[in-house]
């Protein structure tokens, strides 16, 4: 009879997916685990992003864990501060505080002698039987290589590293038109002397009442519902199924939602010339859809400008665009997003026989079922490559993935296995299925978005929730090398 043993586990990252992993491990009876986080607080993207106007673009009731329902959201679309408080409170509520190490950045992880050896930025070392990379997607700011950026005399700030700069009465430039760019522009416009929005390509912006408080009756009813976790799951599933239908299949729902997007632009922007410049040349939902209750109104204000000409250079006093115009600025805000496909990198990761993650992902990031990578035994990811960042609840996906990983940990604990590694064949088969399923999706209709990885494949989940559940419910031994 095999001897029972407790695996030593390290979870890298204390954002949403790291919290989900920690909770599932405790719930499954694992206690020898550490959650290491490079930041000074938990929350991941909600810790790093603190810019003015920050809100989630998913309704609050669908943006929470089913195992930790919150009936008292202040707004239908929660602010960044409120979501960050939710995650911070969860660490104590779920009894994860004793497992947490903040300000602890993992710089290297090497599989050697049947175990993982991790090095940290402060010179420390951790050993583990298993590593769970819950490093997320949106945590490494992307800063374009604009000529002359270092010469700008005023403050330059990326939205993911916001500082208390003064923008009131200043000439402000905002570069980037995703949700972040639209939110920070809308927040800064009223107090700026002048604000210029620089956009390579305009975005479809759908009007939603983003500042709407959550009605009191909603919170009252939610507190009284028995088994509220089931209600949260139902909300996640209904929302996921509807959104999935919008993006992965060309149905009447997609067409109706796209018509609404076109109507928002037509109705809310009265200036025909400005409207023409704001109109994208691709379908709504092809990029991450932007929601706003005031952007179209604010971009038309006398102190606002929309500039779609390419940026040629940054000067000491402003931005020069391809039409030869020099835009005088006092403050420059970079809403230029993240290196979304780095995942655990720039951490140096080496698996079996010294294989580096950079070599394994030379043709782009890939993992079986978003979680397992060939050549990297006893390492799993939560919300890894192909995660459904544009189609369904990430909280549900993170929890489902963590439970899948726990099944392998149980088998290690029971002495059935010493190492588990997904096969190249299973990973290739999954990648081929993803590529085939991606063809009819809205993400594949002719736009350039951050969803595309370096090798030009779309790094998203093109299947429905049933497929996700089926893949991550019961591990298939035939897809793995078991030692």
């Amino acid at each position: 009879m095999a001897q029972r043993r407790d695996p030593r586990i390290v979870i890298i990252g204390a954002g949403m997916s790291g919290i989900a992993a920690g909770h599932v491990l405790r719930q499954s009876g694992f206690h020898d685990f550490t959650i290491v986080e490079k930041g000074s607080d938990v929350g991941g993207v909600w810790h790093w992003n603190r810019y003015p106007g920050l809100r989630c673009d998913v309704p609050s009731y669908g943006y929470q864990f089913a195992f930790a329902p919150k009936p008292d959201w202040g707004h239908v679309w929660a602010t960044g501060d409120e979501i960050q408080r939710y995650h911070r409170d969860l660490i104590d509520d779920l009894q994860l505080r004793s497992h947490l190490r903040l300000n602890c950045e993992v710089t290297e992880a090497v599989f050697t002698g049947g175990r993982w050896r991790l090095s940290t930025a402060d010179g420390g070392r951790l050993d583990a039987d298993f590593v769970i990379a819950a490093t997320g997607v949106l945590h490494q700011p992307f800063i374009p290589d604009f000529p002359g950026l270092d010469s700008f005399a005023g403050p330059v700030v990326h939205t993911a590293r916001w500082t208390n700069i003064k923008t009131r009465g200043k000439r402000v430039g905002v570069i980037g038109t995703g949700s972040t760019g639209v939110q920070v522009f809308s927040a800064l416009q009223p107090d700026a002397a002048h604000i210029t929005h620089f956009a390579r390509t305009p975005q479809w912006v759908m009007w939603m009442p983003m500042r709407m408080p959550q009605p009191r009756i909603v919170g009252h009813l939610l507190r009284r519902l028995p088994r509220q976790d089931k209600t949260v799951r139902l909300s996640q599933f209904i929302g996921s199924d509807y959104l999935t239908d919008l993006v992965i299949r060309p149905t009447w729902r997609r067409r109706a939602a796209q018509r609404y997007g076109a109507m928002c632009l037509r109705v809310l922007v009265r200036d025909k010339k400005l409207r023409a410049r704001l109109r994208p040349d691709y379908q709504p939902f092809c990029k991450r859809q932007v929601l706003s209750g005031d952007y179209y109104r604010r971009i038309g204000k006398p102190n606002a400008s929309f500039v779609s000409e390419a940026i040629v250079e940054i000067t000491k006093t402003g931005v020069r665009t391809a039409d030869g115009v020099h835009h005088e600025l006092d403050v420059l805000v970079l809403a230029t997003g993240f290196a979304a496909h780095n995942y655990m990198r720039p951490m140096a990761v080496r698996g079996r026989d010294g294989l580096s993650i950079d070599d394994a992902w030379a043709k782009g990031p890939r993992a079986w079922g978003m979680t397992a990578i060939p050549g990297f035994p006893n390492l799993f990811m939560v919300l890894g490559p192909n995660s459904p960042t544009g189609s369904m609840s990430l909280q549900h996906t993170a929890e489902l993935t963590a439970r899948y990983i726990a099944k392998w940990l149980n088998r290690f604990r029971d002495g059935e296995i010493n190492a588990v590694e997904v096969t190249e064949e299973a990973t290739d088969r999954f990648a081929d299925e993803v590529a085939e399923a991606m063809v009819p999706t809205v993400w594949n209709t002719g736009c350039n978005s951050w969803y595309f990885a370096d090798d030009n494949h779309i790094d998203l989940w093109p299947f429905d929730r049933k497929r996700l559940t089926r893949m991550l419910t019961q591990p298939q031994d035939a897809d793995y090398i078991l030692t």
Side-chain angles (χ1 to χ4, degrees):
M1 183 175 179
Q3 185 176 359
R4 190 176 174 87
R5 59 207 169 155
D6 289 325
R8 171 71 180 137
I9 308 158
V10 172
I11 301 169
I12 304 175
M16 179 182 64
S17 48
I19 291 171
H23 169 69
V24 168
L25 291 187
R26 281 199 79 257
Q27 197 176 51
S28 302
F30 297 99
H31 301 288
D32 191 5
F33 67 90
T34 302
I35 305 173
V36 292
E37 166 57 48
K38 66 181 179 181
S40 60
D41 202 353
V42 302
V45 67
W46 302 105
H47 164 66
W48 295 110
N49 285 266
R50 304 171 191 175
Y51 60 83
L54 174 62
R55 285 183 184 272
C56 187
D57 58 5
V58 176
S60 308
Y61 198 59
Y63 198 81
Q64 58 182 317
F65 293 111
F67 57 73
K70 177 179 168 62
D72 59 344
W73 291 103
H75 295 83
V76 175
W77 284 271
T79 64
D81 285 342
E82 191 172 16
I83 296 173
Q84 173 64 345
R85 286 196 301 273
Y86 170 68
H87 289 129
R88 190 182 296 127
D89 291 345
L90 281 183
I91 292 295
D92 294 317
D93 294 345
L94 301 175
Q95 300 178 46
L96 296 175
R97 181 71 61 183
S98 62
H99 297 275
L100 179 66
R101 287 181 58 180
L102 297 173
N103 299 305
C104 183
E105 181 177 4
V106 176
T107 56
E108 184 180 55
V110 178
F111 187 74
T112 178
R115 301 193 84 201
W116 283 95
R117 177 168 293 178
L118 292 80
S119 302
T120 58
D122 60 2
R125 199 185 86 181
L126 294 165
D127 291 330
D129 298 301
F130 283 83
V131 169
I132 299 175
T135 47
V137 178
L138 307 181
H139 63 100
Q140 294 179 39
F142 172 70
I143 299 178
D145 187 21
F146 292 122
L149 180 60
D150 292 341
S151 69
F152 186 69
V156 179
V157 61
H158 192 284
T159 49
R161 298 294 184 269
W162 192 264
T163 57
N164 293 321
I165 59 172
K166 294 181 180 179
T167 60
R168 180 186 294 271
K170 304 291 186 180
R171 297 168 298 179
V172 181
V174 176
I175 302 176
T177 55
S179 291
T180 298
V182 165
Q183 288 180 353
V184 73
F185 173 91
S186 299
L188 298 181
Q189 178 272 324
D191 294 328
H194 192 276
I195 185 165
T196 305
H197 201 175
F198 297 93
R200 276 185 312 179
T201 55
Q203 287 267 26
W204 289 105
V205 180
M206 293 189 177
W207 184 88
M208 290 288 170
M210 303 300 288
R211 298 176 184 272
M212 178 189 293
Q214 177 174 283
R216 281 187 173 183
I217 186 64
V218 174
H220 180 73
L221 289 173
L222 294 180
R223 288 188 187 91
R224 295 182 177 277
L225 282 174
R227 293 299 305 277
Q228 190 186 341
D229 60 323
K230 288 186 177 180
T231 310
V232 173
R233 289 191 193 280
L234 180 62
S235 170
Q236 290 174 340
F237 293 164
I238 292 173
S240 294
D241 288 347
Y242 178 76
L243 184 56
T244 300
D245 202 34
L246 285 182
V247 294
I248 73 172
R249 289 180 285 268
T251 65
W252 67 269
R253 289 189 179 91
R254 181 193 295 181
R255 293 191 294 273
Q258 289 177 335
R259 283 196 293 271
Y260 174 71
M263 184 188 74
C264 290
L265 176 60
R266 185 174 64 252
V267 172
L268 297 176
V269 181
R270 299 299 179 89
D271 185 319
K272 290 184 178 180
K273 291 184 178 179
L274 177 59
R275 188 193 310 157
R277 293 166 57 217
L278 287 169
R279 185 179 181 85
D281 59 0
Y282 55 86
Q283 296 183 28
F285 299 104
C286 185
K287 298 190 178 194
R288 175 81 181 192
Q289 186 54 56
V290 179
L291 308 178
S292 176
D294 50 14
Y295 176 74
Y296 280 151
R297 177 166 53 88
R298 295 192 185 282
I299 194 64
K301 294 292 185 180
N303 73 329
S305 301
F306 182 80
V307 176
S308 57
E309 286 77 12
I311 293 174
V312 174
E313 65 171 334
I314 311 293
T315 69
K316 184 177 180 179
T317 57
V319 171
R320 192 180 311 281
T321 48
D323 57 359
V325 176
H326 186 265
H327 306 267
E328 297 284 338
L329 301 171
D330 302 308
V331 178
L332 192 57
V333 176
L334 303 179
T336 48
F338 300 84
H341 309 287
N342 279 7
Y343 295 101
M344 64 193 85
R345 297 175 288 181
M347 180 173 62
V349 183
R350 293 191 176 275
R352 176 173 44 82
D353 302 325
L355 175 67
S356 74
I357 193 65
D358 287 334
D359 288 340
W361 284 354
K363 295 182 179 180
R366 66 189 192 115
W368 180 92
M370 308 170 291
T371 187
I373 310 170
F376 294 82
N378 293 7
L379 181 145
F380 291 94
M381 300 183 70
V382 180
L383 299 183
N386 295 113
S387 292
T389 52
S391 59
M392 64 181 72
S393 167
L394 290 180
Q395 285 81 359
H396 172 67
T397 304
E399 182 185 354
L400 193 64
T401 305
R403 295 193 185 285
Y404 175 86
I405 297 168
K407 288 182 169 67
W408 288 116
L409 295 173
N410 276 325
R411 294 177 67 174
F412 180 93
R413 179 166 59 184
D414 292 342
E416 293 182 29
I417 61 171
N418 290 321
V420 52
E421 176 190 340
V422 74
T423 66
E424 289 278 1
E425 292 76 16
T427 308
D428 288 342
R429 185 171 66 250
F430 173 70
D432 291 342
E433 292 168 354
V434 166
E436 181 180 356
M438 201 65 72
V439 173
T441 67
V442 73
W443 308 308
N444 198 35
T445 56
C447 68
N448 180 28
S449 72
W450 65 264
Y451 292 152
F452 283 84
D454 291 340
D455 66 340
N456 213 35
H457 82 271
I458 301 172
D459 190 9
L460 289 174
W461 183 262
F463 307 113
D464 59 18
R465 178 174 49 84
K466 292 180 181 178
R467 175 68 175 270
L468 181 82
T469 304
R470 188 166 62 249
M471 288 190 68
L472 295 178
T473 296
Q474 186 58 48
Q476 300 296 319
D477 286 6
D479 291 335
Y480 286 85
I481 301 167
L482 303 179
T483 305

